[in-house]
Amino acid sequence: MDTILVISDYVQALKAEVGEPLRRLYPNAEIRFCLFDGELLNELTSGLLPILILMDMGADNLLIMKELRSFACLSRTPMLMLRAEATKRKVEAESEGIGWLYNTLNTHHQYQLN
């Protein structure tokens, strides 16, 4: 049977939120909700090969994804972030920088026109 891993800091809450929709989408797969810990890493290195990994680890998503990708057996496994907090913060920071520059240039341009 195919396995889909859902890795989260909030296993029970996430299971309640997305468990049923995932079971409907993948009726022939085992959906496993788990923490990212040594036990999971042991299972992954001992032969557990999921067909999909979903992550909801807050700001640690990118670091965990990078660590999982370092395993040769998982290098081609699709991995999706359910919430991309680290990415969201990066985009917000970049947007604030661009917004500041845009506002500065726009104000300067308006000043020259008046």
Side-chain angles (χ1 to χ4, degrees):
M1 176 178 270
D2 292 332
T3 301
I4 296 173
L5 283 182
V6 183
I7 304 171
S8 177
D9 288 332
Y10 311 101
V11 172
Q12 294 305 320
L14 194 61
K15 187 184 281 189
E17 188 177 340
V18 300
E20 186 56 35
L22 283 174
R23 281 191 266 310
R24 278 186 269 132
L25 284 170
Y26 300 97
N28 298 324
E30 175 191 3
I31 312 295
R32 289 193 50 200
F33 290 83
C34 53
L35 295 169
F36 183 75
D37 57 12
E39 184 180 329
L40 175 62
L41 289 176
N42 285 337
E43 286 184 61
L44 290 169
T45 57
S46 299
L48 173 64
L49 187 58
I51 60 167
L52 174 64
I53 297 176
L54 302 173
M55 291 180 282
D56 184 27
M57 302 291 294
D60 297 333
N61 273 341
L62 295 173
L63 295 173
I64 291 170
M65 185 181 287
K66 186 176 180 179
E67 185 170 343
L68 291 172
R69 286 268 179 239
S70 71
F71 294 102
C73 61
L74 297 175
S75 64
R76 298 178 56 91
T77 301
M79 297 181 195
L80 301 171
M81 292 181 279
L82 296 175
R83 294 173 232 243
E85 290 298 320
T87 305
K88 180 181 173 187
R89 279 195 298 262
K90 182 176 186 264
V91 168
E92 286 172 350
E94 289 173 354
S95 296
E96 288 173 9
I98 292 169
W100 174 83
L101 178 61
Y102 173 79
N103 290 337
T104 302
L105 292 174
N106 193 32
T107 302
H108 179 71
H109 180 70
Q110 286 177 351
Y111 177 74
Q112 286 182 337
L113 290 176
N114 293 332

